[in-house]
Structure formats: C-alpha cells, structure tokens
Amino acid sequence: MGNPIVISRDVTGLHKVFLYSFSQIFGDISPGGILYPRESESREVRSLDGVWNFRLSPMDEPTQGLTQQWYQQELRKTGDIVPMPVPASYNDIGPNVTFRTFWGLAWYDRTFFAPSSWKDQRVWVRFGSVCYAAQVWVNGKEVASHEIGHLPFSGEISQALNYGGNNVITVAVNNTPDQTTVPQGRINSVKTSDGIKHVLYFNFDFFQYSGIDRPVYLYTTPRVYIDDISVMTDIENDTGVVNFNVSILGLSEDSEEPSIAVNLYDRDGQVVAESTGAEGVLRVPDANLWWPYIMHPKPAYLYTLEVIVNGNESDVYRHPVGIRTVSWTNTSLLINNHPFYLRGFGRHEDSDIRGKGVDYSLITKDYNLIKWFGANGYRTSHYPYAEEILDFSDRQGIMGLSLVDDHISSGFSDELLNNHKTSLSELIRRDKNRPSVIMWSIANEADTDEDDAVPYFKAYFLKGPSYANWTVTSMLLGRQAQFLDVICINEYYGWGSTVGIQEVVKHQVMVDVTSWHQLHNKPVVVSEYGTDTMAGYHSVGRFQLPSSGGSEEYQMEVMSQQFEAFDEAHSEGYLAGEMIWNFADFMTDQRTKRVNGNRKGMLTRTRQPKASAHLLRWRYHSLARKLDNATIARPADSDTHFYVSSWFARSPQGADSSFHPARDCERNTQERQRRKGEEGEQDFERSVIKYSFDSCKIRRVKIIRHVKLRQV
Ligand code: GCB
C-alpha cells in the first residue's frame, strides 16, 4: 500500500491507520490512473527507448519550432539534427556548452512501426518523465502534454496512428522555469561583450538536467480497460489484509457489464486469496509481511495482485503488493507495529554523461552500495524518483521518503500552489501502492518565515491529499510544523558558517532535535547533515594537527560528533532517524561554493568510497545489530578510533567483546532526567535555548524566533 494516513489517534498516542473510502484517503488525487505498462494476455508493451533525433530551438527565436510547426514533418527536414539517447538528459550529451546551459524548447523525434493487429485496441504512449514540460504529437496530431518533470504522463494515440506502417512521434521539451513552476527558477539577463545574454537561474543546489530522462513506452489495452488499481494493506494478528479498488474505463452504452475477478498470488505462484468486484478485501492467513532490509531474514516480500476484467473483451493487469503498515507515535516510527530507526541518505538522480537519465547499471550499483552501507532507507531528494528506481526499493526493502519536487522558496502565489498541489497529487497517484514509500515529503527549506507562507501551506495541507512529512531546515518552521506528522530537519553544524568548529556539532544537534520535539511533540528525523569533502584531500586528524574543512578526515570528525548527538537524542526516545547528505557527490550549477558540483558524498560521483563511507558503514551495521537485532557480520575492516555508535567498539581492533549495549545512552538519560527533576520541564527548555543562544551567535535570530513561535 502507499502512504498510511492518520485519521484518528487513540489515547495511547499510537497513531493508527483506519480504512475509509479511497477518495477520502487520497484526497485531491489526480484523476485517472497511471499504471506502469506491463505485458499480459490483453496488453502489449513496446519500448521506444533508443536513439532519437534532436535539435535545439535557436536561442534568438525560441518558439520557431511551434510557429513553423516542426511536428508536421520529420525533424531532419526542419534543419540540422543530432542523435540523442532516450532516456537521458540532453545537457551533457552535446558537444558544447550550448547543450549544457540551454533553456527553451528542445525537439525530439523518431519513427516507429504500428502493426495492423493493434487496430482493434487502444494504443497509448507513456513517458516516465520529461523535464520540465512536454508537448507530444504523433503524425502531426497532438496526443499528450504535461507540465512538471519527474512524473509520468500518457496519452491515447489510437486515432493518430498509421496502422501497418511507419509513424512519427515528435516531442517538444520546455525547460524554462519561472516563479510558478515547481521547482521555481528564472531567466537572468547578463551584459556581455556580445550584448545581453539570458541565462538560467535556479536557487537550489543540483543541476537542472532536462530532456526525456525516463523510459518511453507504447502499450495497448482493450477498449474497456483497467485504468487504475489502489491497494491499502493492514494486519490483523497474523492475517494480512489487502483492501483493493479497481477503476475501469472505456465502457460504452453497448458494453456488457464487465465481471471482475481479483486474485492474490504468493511468490511461488500459489493463489492465497481471491475476490470479485471492483472493491473488496482479501485476507491472507499467516501472511508474509513486507519488511525492510535487515529488519527481517526475508525482507521485501511481494505478492502479485491479478485483476481480470471480463466483458465483451477481457483485460488483465498484475500488480506487485507488499503487505505492511506504517504508523507513528509522538516519538517513533513503526512498521508492522515494530519501531524502526531510519538510517540512510539524501540522494540525487545524478551521474556523468546521462545526467538524470534512467540507467539500470547505475541503479543496480547504487542499490548494491546502499545495502553495503547497511542503510534501510533514503530520501528521494528533491523530486520524485524514477519508477524503475523505486521498483528496486520495493523488491529489496529500502524504505523511502518520497519527495514531491520540493524546492519552493518564496513568491507563494495561487498559481504556484496549484502546481505544487498537482505535483504532490500526481506523485501520490503514481506511488500510492508502493510498500517502500513510507512518507510523503512536501517542501525543503522553504522560506517559511515569509508571511505569505502561512496561508500557502495551510491551503496546501488542508485541501491537498494527505502526507506525512515536511522537510525543514531551521527553527523558522514553527508556524507550519503543527500541520505535520513527522518533522524532518536539515542541519549543517560543523559546516557552513561553523566550518572548522566541530565542537559545536553535538551540542547544537541536541538543541535542535530536542527543541523541535518539545515544541510539537512529534518524532524528529535529521534528514540532512554533512560536509563537502574532496576525495583524496587529507589533512591530519584531530589527534595530531587540526584537520581542515574539505578533507576526508574532517568529514569523518563531523560525522563522528553527529553520531554522538544522534545516539543521545535516540536514547531520549524521539529521534526517529538520520540521513546523511549525501550518498554520492553530484553535479550542481557553477557556483563559487561548488568545485565541479557538491562534494558532500560518502562516495564520489563515480561511486568510489571516501574514507567516510567506511565510517558510515560501521555505524549503520552496528545500529542494525543493536536496533534490528540483525545477525549481519560486523564489517571486517572495523578498526576505527572515531565514535561510531554507543554499541560499537572504540578500540582500534574493534573486537566484538567490547560491543556494549546502550551504556552511554543510559547514563546520558539518567543525567538529563536528574536535570529535569531539578529545574522543572520549563526551565530545562529555556536553559537549552539560552545555552545555544550563548554558545553559537549564528543561531541568535533563529532562537529568538523560536521563543516567539512558542507563544503563537
Ligand atoms: C541543503 C539542501 C541541499 C543542498 C545542501 C548543501 O540544505 O537541502 O539541497 O545540496 O544543503 O550541500 O548545501
């Protein structure tokens, strides 16, 4: 099932999922289904991936392709074309900087054959994503359009096809941002010796790759077809419960009333439950639940839901289903009623040459590495990831905080709100059935301090579909955090303006996490922390000369400080996870603070480990052993003098005998309880705030606001 929705809270404080009608649960979800194309007895799927023809619009006449109707003929007849791989971002494929920095309309086309056997069916084209906006023609007829990248769209092309012959598909891609697009951006003007130059500007920290970056499929369905399937799962003792809802489209007055059969198969192809009708409940005794990686010896168990529609024609669609629940208390996250601690990363879809283009070799390598680290989740920062990537998460048990395109910084207009809501609603429509998706995250580091932000996010929260999480970075969020279920904070102590002062880390992290929890009585996840680090740059560590920012040693030292704070906050009971920024180095715009991209990765952009990768691996493995009771082997190369976790040996040999459960944490807790007892709850909070105010001047404004917000 997709993301659980809190509808009620019981007196124990455990937030439970109750099943209401699907429309209530999914709120303003975008209409119509967007099922992934899958072959079956009634459906054919053909990939249109490969090498397409490509040309950019002239910079001085960006709309030329539209005014001259390039889509009415093959692109090669309109001017010079170059080959362009699909899926891939076009920016780093071209021979020159024009491709890299281009903004405006880019044009693609290719031909394909449509067999005569398709004539009696419906034929569709489906794009996994086009960044940012797309218009699609087949043989000169417009068949689809879509705005907002990183999300799929489809269009029926039955009426436009030349059956038994060749067809031309043309796509115009527009990557021009403004203050109402999601994410926001603008075109800046710069005076140069050749006159005014118009350049793309984004105020977020990743390269805005453009183009047809995810797979393109043609697929067929019968005329009466399964348009969408929604599942919500629950657990009653040992019984797995699968609530399903099927929507069928294409019925005409002459259509026979279709009958619907729904079967659930286990991994061995045995039917374990069956039902009929468009809505119903399947019960699976002794169900194999979907568990995250490492939390269970058989993680990521997937059943197959088969839907068969019989009428004048029949349609069959098979959908993977993981049976699991996600819930949360005011301190923790739970999966299948067991508390879990998120240990993972912020990531990017990013690699050289292909940009954000889907690449199975890269995806497979990345998941091998995620598991090598012993991570159990990640945040799909800062946009919805490819379905092909999330399939790996579903199949391997890697939990995900699924982010809508979340860089909304300011200029909170109605149009922006509309686009933002559409994007979240399309994301939920796409991923609602994925067991690996455990939260929806809707904004990253928005300017929540602006007055316009309050009504903006209020409207977003009240009318939009449900979600569970909002990522924020500073104390300024206070007014909006009341609407959230889980609070994620980004913090960069020991970096940014405190680079070189790593002593600030532990204390400030505790202050942030504690204050957020106390202010809203909700679980807190640290969704970003980290330092830029040049692989191969070393400075001597803290036990000899001071290490300096940017070195591999410094990155480990800051991490080590963060780990101590995380363990302390976790032992207090309200830190529900930690996600380092970033899994791997990634490309950004050219900026003064970026040396060929962002270097906060544990891995280089080519996925080679920095020293920190080993430190993180030690930590995640030791957390898995302690918190998930996992029997995974301790990493062999575990000789470290860094703080890894309170359950990990500090001895250079890392011998197993020194594996001591939660001793430090308990001591810390006792000390804090003693302090609370002496000072009283209120005083304790105030002293925390005052202390941070004194010890770190940078936080002064934020802390003052924090105090004010508490009075709101
Ligand atoms: C952040 C942003 C992330 C940046 C990161 C950094 O807070 O959420 O997009 O890449 O900082 O490295 O500056």
Side-chain angles (χ1 to χ4, degrees), residues 299-311:
Y301 194 98
L302 291 178
Y303 291 88
T304 301
L305 186 84
E306 177 186 67
V307 178
I308 306 173
V309 174
N310 276 314

Side-chain angles (χ1 to χ4, degrees), residues 419-672:
N419 283 338
H420 200 181
K421 282 168 70 174
T422 304
S423 132
L424 177 61
S425 134
E426 288 190 15
L427 169 69
I428 294 181
R429 171 177 72 163
R430 189 193 73 166
D431 291 344
K432 61 185 185 260
N433 299 335
R434 289 192 180 276
S436 62
V437 173
I438 58 162
M439 286 186 218
W440 312 111
S441 173
I442 60 131
N444 183 62
E445 304 183 0
D447 261 343
T448 51
D449 192 34
E450 281 188 19
D451 285 342
D452 293 359
V454 180
Y456 180 93
F457 282 106
K458 201 165 176 190
Y460 193 105
F461 279 97
L462 293 184
K463 294 192 194 131
S466 299
Y467 38 77
N469 157 262
W470 187 12
T471 311
V472 295
T473 190
S474 73
M475 294 294 184
L476 304 185
L477 180 81
R479 288 179 291 183
Q480 282 88 11
Q482 57 183 304
F483 303 121
L484 309 175
D485 299 314
V486 176
I487 295 174
C488 290
I489 58 171
N490 299 351
E491 46 88 0
Y492 282 96
Y493 298 112
W495 196 245
S497 39
T498 48
V499 67
I501 324 173
Q502 41 172 292
E503 296 78 358
V504 80
V505 174
K506 189 175 164 201
H507 170 72
Q508 285 298 345
V509 172
M510 274 311 286
V511 169
D512 275 11
V513 174
T514 309
S515 309
W516 275 110
H517 172 69
Q518 286 177 348
L519 193 56
H520 296 287
N521 200 23
K522 292 174 182 178
V524 178
V525 172
V526 173
S527 46
E528 283 184 29
Y529 70 95
T531 64
D532 281 87
T533 305
M534 296 298 288
Y537 165 50
H538 294 279
S539 63
V540 182
R542 70 173 167 186
F543 296 108
Q544 295 165 44
L545 294 169
S547 63
S548 60
S551 67
E552 298 206 24
E553 286 73 15
Y554 187 77
Q555 187 178 35
M556 290 198 288
E557 282 162 17
V558 170
M559 284 164 68
S560 168
Q561 296 267 328
Q562 297 270 359
F563 296 163
E564 288 201 51
F566 296 156
D567 279 357
E568 203 165 318
H570 184 61
S571 75
E572 288 279 317
Y574 42 75
L575 184 70
E578 58 188 70
M579 303 209 167
I580 198 159
W581 191 257
N582 191 287
F583 175 70
D585 292 349
F586 57 91
M587 193 43 67
T588 64
D589 266 354
Q590 298 188 49
R591 295 183 181 192
T592 45
K593 286 190 186 163
R594 297 284 173 254
V595 184
N596 197 22
N598 185 307
R599 305 290 186 140
K600 294 196 181 69
M602 299 290 97
L603 307 166
T604 63
R605 202 175 184 216
T606 51
R607 281 28 179 193
Q608 297 308 314
K610 298 180 191 169
S612 55
H614 298 280
L615 180 62
L616 192 72
R617 180 171 183 242
W618 295 326
R619 175 160 175 88
Y620 285 177
H621 277 234
S622 68
L623 292 179
R625 285 160 61 104
K626 170 64 191 166
L627 304 177
D628 298 344
N629 213 9
T631 49
I632 51 168
R634 176 209 264 314
D637 44 354
S638 58
D639 54 328
T640 175
H641 54 257
F642 289 103
Y643 181 89
V644 173
S645 82
S646 57
W647 310 293
F648 190 90
R650 280 180 206 236
S651 76
Q653 290 73 29
D656 251 340
S657 57
S658 53
F659 187 85
H660 43 76
R663 191 193 53 208
D664 293 356
C665 292
E666 248 155 51
R667 210 174 34 221
N668 289 338
T669 308
Q670 280 164 12
E671 169 59 16
R672 247 184 311 285

Side-chain angles (χ1 to χ4, degrees), residues 10-63:
D10 71 14
V11 283
T12 63
L14 178 68
H15 304 187
K16 288 189 95 177
V17 179
F18 292 93
L19 190 70
Y20 278 56
S21 86
F22 282 90
S23 59
Q24 254 176 296
I25 286 169
F26 292 122
D28 291 345
I29 196 163
S30 292
I34 194 76
L35 292 172
Y36 197 80
R38 292 180 204 279
E39 284 181 326
S40 74
E41 296 82 330
S42 57
R43 293 173 174 233
E44 247 179 87
V45 178
R46 168 104 60 89
S47 167
L48 286 188
D49 294 350
V51 181
W52 290 48
N53 307 308
F54 182 81
R55 72 171 290 200
L56 298 172
S57 305
M59 283 305 278
D60 55 353
E61 205 187 334
T63 53

Side-chain angles (χ1 to χ4, degrees), residues 237-305:
N237 302 319
D238 289 339
T239 301
V241 181
V242 179
N243 300 276
F244 65 87
N245 183 303
V246 178
S247 81
I248 295 169
L249 290 185
L251 287 162
S252 67
E253 281 184 2
D254 311 330
S255 306
E256 211 179 284
E257 184 62 31
S259 67
I260 302 171
V262 178
N263 304 311
L264 193 71
Y265 292 87
D266 67 14
R267 259 186 197 168
D268 301 322
Q270 301 299 314
V271 178
V272 292
E274 39 195 4
S275 181
T276 54
E279 258 183 309
V281 183
L282 299 163
R283 289 181 191 279
V284 188
D286 291 324
N288 287 301
L289 303 183
W290 189 94
W291 286 100
Y293 170 61
I294 297 191
M295 260 185 98
H296 194 269
K298 271 205 277 177
Y301 194 98
L302 291 178
Y303 291 88
T304 301
L305 186 84

Side-chain angles (χ1 to χ4, degrees), residues 88-101:
S89 308
Y90 60 70
N91 310 73
D92 290 350
I93 303 284
N96 55 38
V97 73
T98 315
F99 280 68
R100 184 133 236 272
T101 53

